[in-house]
Amino acid sequence: MASLPSSSPLILVLSLIVISSLTAASAGNFYQDFDITWGDGRGKILNNGELLTLSLDKPSGSGFQSKNEYLFGKIDMQLKLVAGNSAGTVTAYYLSSKGSTWDEIDFEFLGNLSGDPYVLHTNVFSQGKGNREQQFYLWFDPTADFHTYSILWNPQRIIFSVDGTPIREFKNEESIGVPFPKNQPMRIYSSLWNADDWATRGGLVKTDWSQAPFTASYRNFNDDNACVWSNGASSCTSSSSSSSSEWLSQELDNTSQEKLRWVQKNYMIYNYCSDSKRFPQGLPPECNMP
Ligand SMILES: *[C@@H]1O[C@H](CO)[C@@H](O)[C@H](O)[C@H]1NC(C)=O
Ligand SMILES: *[C@@H]1O[C@H](CO)[C@@H](O)[C@H](O)[C@H]1NC(C)=O
């Protein structure tokens, strides 16, 4: 092969095959986009890369991370959470940078007894500081089927959405001195682990190991609209050429703002911005912004 001239039709055909198979695979292939990083076989990629499962038993949980690092992106993933008695288990799905002044954008799903509601816990860290929790119940059973959990992260805002419905917005308020994650590339991480010292009813309900292994499933990862970081530079892509990089300045339109208010009014069970006992010196400054 190496001895063929590069203009050889054979090489051309072979490279076309390679290119088209790469294109086909880019519709969210876990082999291509992620590495299982821990759990000694408890994390699995199945169905030719279309499905990923994590599991947890008494000896260990498991986890994976993205091959890419991103500096801004609109990242979708579908998750189906641990069914039945999932009390004590936590499924974390988040973006994070490295180092002691890291940035992080978190979804964490806190399990519960059969029939009792999961809690979706969210947080935003900038430069190593978090303490910005908001928690929600969901308006559906997140264990019955796959649902889409999305993070839109652009220089002006971070929007957490569930099935396209925004549940939380964290705006860039650097102008009033609140650090905003915008300089450190982040990787996507997920893990399933035992946190029965705090997760369910504040640690009152323990993991029932007779139900193990516990399993969470992932599919339809989409990072078509994202800036991938490589060798100190980021290169941005978008799925549709007409609205190229619209996501980089996207904000909530009126309909989405209305949906956000609906979720916050009906499903939010904890908001750090309403917890004045926790902040006796005064609420964090972003809490006083519209
Ligand atoms: C579990 O169910 C109880 C009872 O409905 C509820 O108070 C709690 O918020 C639920 N979720 C967690 C993670 O504890
Ligand atoms: C959205 O709301 C703003 C004010 O809240 C209003 O001026 C604007 O016309 C609205 N846009 C649409 C499309 O309804």
Side-chain angles (χ1 to χ4, degrees), residues 167-178:
I167 62 163
R168 174 172 188 178
E169 180 178 30
F170 183 78
K171 290 186 189 155
N172 183 333
E173 303 287 7
E174 286 178 306
S175 64
I176 57 162
V178 181

Side-chain angles (χ1 to χ4, degrees), residues 225-277:
N225 297 291
C227 303
V228 172
W229 184 260
S230 161
N231 301 317
S234 88
S235 92
C236 304
T237 56
S238 14
S239 50
S240 79
S241 46
S242 56
S243 63
S244 63
S245 69
E246 200 182 285
W247 67 271
L248 264 168
S249 57
Q250 191 178 328
E251 52 187 43
L252 291 172
D253 61 19
N254 289 4
T255 316
S256 302
Q257 285 185 27
E258 215 161 282
K259 289 185 181 170
L260 176 70
R261 281 194 294 271
W262 172 77
V263 174
Q264 298 227 329
K265 175 165 180 278
N266 295 295
Y267 294 96
M268 186 159 66
I269 56 170
Y270 179 80
N271 182 1
Y272 75 110
C273 280
S274 310
D275 196 350
S276 40
K277 270 203 300 242

Side-chain angles (χ1 to χ4, degrees), residues 202-215:
L204 286 179
V205 188
K206 301 298 177 192
T207 303
D208 177 2
W209 292 112
S210 75
Q211 306 296 310
F214 303 97
T215 302

Side-chain angles (χ1 to χ4, degrees), residues 79 81-82 89-93 107-109 190-193 216 218:
L79 276 76
L81 299 171
V82 174
T89 72
V90 170
T91 306
Y93 173 67
F107 277 118
E108 283 187 12
F109 301 88
S190 187
S191 52
L192 172 57
W193 86 89
Y218 302 75

Side-chain angles (χ1 to χ4, degrees), residues 110-112 116-117 119 137 199-201:
L110 316 185
N112 218 333
D116 280 351
V119 168
Y137 288 144
T200 308
R201 294 194 183 182

